[in-house]
Tab-separated table of all heavy atoms in Angstrom:
chain	number	residue	atom	x	y	z
A	70	HIS	N	121.871	95.720	103.760
A	70	HIS	CA	120.691	95.017	103.377
A	70	HIS	C	119.601	95.070	104.402
A	70	HIS	O	118.375	95.194	104.020
A	70	HIS	CB	121.056	93.544	103.085
A	70	HIS	CG	121.926	93.337	101.899
A	70	HIS	ND1	123.265	93.309	101.972
A	70	HIS	CD2	121.595	93.182	100.603
A	70	HIS	CE1	123.798	93.146	100.762
A	70	HIS	NE2	122.800	93.061	99.910
A	71	VAL	N	119.924	95.036	105.674
A	71	VAL	CA	118.932	95.282	106.673
A	71	VAL	C	118.269	96.603	106.569
A	71	VAL	O	117.013	96.646	106.657
A	71	VAL	CB	119.571	95.130	108.121
A	71	VAL	CG1	118.651	95.577	109.178
A	71	VAL	CG2	120.086	93.711	108.365
A	72	LEU	N	119.038	97.646	106.368
A	72	LEU	CA	118.452	98.949	106.355
A	72	LEU	C	117.581	99.213	105.074
A	72	LEU	O	116.520	99.822	105.150
A	72	LEU	CB	119.523	100.007	106.446
A	72	LEU	CG	120.270	99.951	107.804
A	72	LEU	CD1	121.430	100.987	107.820
A	72	LEU	CD2	119.385	100.016	109.014
A	73	ILE	N	118.020	98.654	103.974
A	73	ILE	CA	117.242	98.746	102.718
A	73	ILE	C	115.873	98.010	102.928
A	73	ILE	O	114.837	98.542	102.529
A	73	ILE	CB	117.999	98.258	101.511
A	73	ILE	CG1	119.131	99.207	101.176
A	73	ILE	CG2	117.079	97.994	100.287
A	73	ILE	CD1	120.152	98.692	100.131
A	74	THR	N	115.921	96.858	103.542
A	74	THR	CA	114.743	96.098	103.831
A	74	THR	C	113.837	96.823	104.797
A	74	THR	O	112.592	96.785	104.635
A	74	THR	CB	115.104	94.597	104.310
A	74	THR	OG1	115.929	93.992	103.345
A	74	THR	CG2	113.873	93.766	104.595
A	75	LEU	N	114.430	97.344	105.808
A	75	LEU	CA	113.614	98.094	106.838
A	75	LEU	C	112.908	99.224	106.172
A	75	LEU	O	111.705	99.373	106.426
A	75	LEU	CB	114.576	98.626	107.991
A	75	LEU	CG	113.936	99.471	109.058
A	75	LEU	CD1	112.820	98.614	109.819
A	75	LEU	CD2	114.961	100.002	109.974
A	76	LEU	N	113.455	100.040	105.335
A	76	LEU	CA	112.879	101.069	104.610
A	76	LEU	C	111.741	100.612	103.803
A	76	LEU	O	110.610	101.165	103.745
A	76	LEU	CB	113.827	101.901	103.772
A	76	LEU	CG	114.812	102.821	104.554
A	76	LEU	CD1	115.983	103.304	103.603
A	76	LEU	CD2	114.027	104.042	105.096
A	77	HIS	N	111.992	99.481	103.075
A	77	HIS	CA	110.913	98.849	102.279
A	77	HIS	C	109.690	98.513	103.116
A	77	HIS	O	108.559	98.768	102.766
A	77	HIS	CB	111.591	97.623	101.547
A	77	HIS	CG	110.549	96.804	100.809
A	77	HIS	ND1	110.553	96.807	99.412
A	77	HIS	CD2	109.659	95.939	101.173
A	77	HIS	CE1	109.655	96.036	98.966
A	77	HIS	NE2	109.013	95.449	99.993
A	78	GLU	N	109.973	97.830	104.277
A	78	GLU	CA	108.858	97.388	105.098
A	78	GLU	C	108.146	98.599	105.787
A	78	GLU	O	106.936	98.557	106.018
A	78	GLU	CB	109.348	96.360	106.123
A	78	GLU	CG	109.908	95.123	105.568
A	78	GLU	CD	108.873	94.356	104.684
A	78	GLU	OE1	107.576	94.497	104.941
A	78	GLU	OE2	109.316	93.782	103.635
A	79	MET	N	108.872	99.653	106.068
A	79	MET	CA	108.303	100.840	106.664
A	79	MET	C	107.280	101.445	105.631
A	79	MET	O	106.296	102.020	106.029
A	79	MET	CB	109.355	101.828	107.049
A	79	MET	CG	110.121	101.339	108.251
A	79	MET	SD	111.499	102.390	108.771
A	79	MET	CE	110.589	103.703	109.639
A	80	CYS	N	107.582	101.311	104.291
A	80	CYS	CA	106.627	101.801	103.287
A	80	CYS	C	105.349	100.962	103.372
A	80	CYS	O	104.275	101.598	103.329
A	80	CYS	CB	107.253	101.700	101.911
A	80	CYS	SG	108.582	102.851	101.600
A	81	HIS	N	105.502	99.659	103.574
A	81	HIS	CA	104.257	98.868	103.706
A	81	HIS	C	103.476	99.296	104.944
A	81	HIS	O	102.241	99.404	104.956
A	81	HIS	CB	104.616	97.325	103.802
A	81	HIS	CG	105.007	96.760	102.561
A	81	HIS	ND1	104.064	96.689	101.474
A	81	HIS	CD2	106.068	96.154	102.060
A	81	HIS	CE1	104.697	96.054	100.398
A	81	HIS	NE2	105.896	95.766	100.752
A	82	LEU	N	104.201	99.575	105.998
A	82	LEU	CA	103.603	100.004	107.260
A	82	LEU	C	102.830	101.361	106.999
A	82	LEU	O	101.697	101.512	107.472
A	82	LEU	CB	104.612	100.111	108.325
A	82	LEU	CG	104.176	100.357	109.761
A	82	LEU	CD1	103.408	99.072	110.232
A	82	LEU	CD2	105.406	100.493	110.699
A	83	LYS	N	103.453	102.204	106.324
A	83	LYS	CA	102.829	103.509	106.055
A	83	LYS	C	101.561	103.355	105.155
A	83	LYS	O	100.527	103.961	105.412
A	83	LYS	CB	103.781	104.427	105.351
A	83	LYS	CG	103.098	105.789	105.009
A	83	LYS	CD	104.094	106.692	104.242
A	83	LYS	CE	103.294	107.931	103.820
A	83	LYS	NZ	104.141	108.851	103.079
Side-chain angles (χ1 to χ4, degrees):
H70 292 92
V71 168
L72 299 178
I73 290 170
T74 301
L75 178 62
L76 284 166
H77 176 104
E78 296 306 323
M79 289 175 80
C80 289
H81 284 299
L82 193 61
K83 176 183 177 181

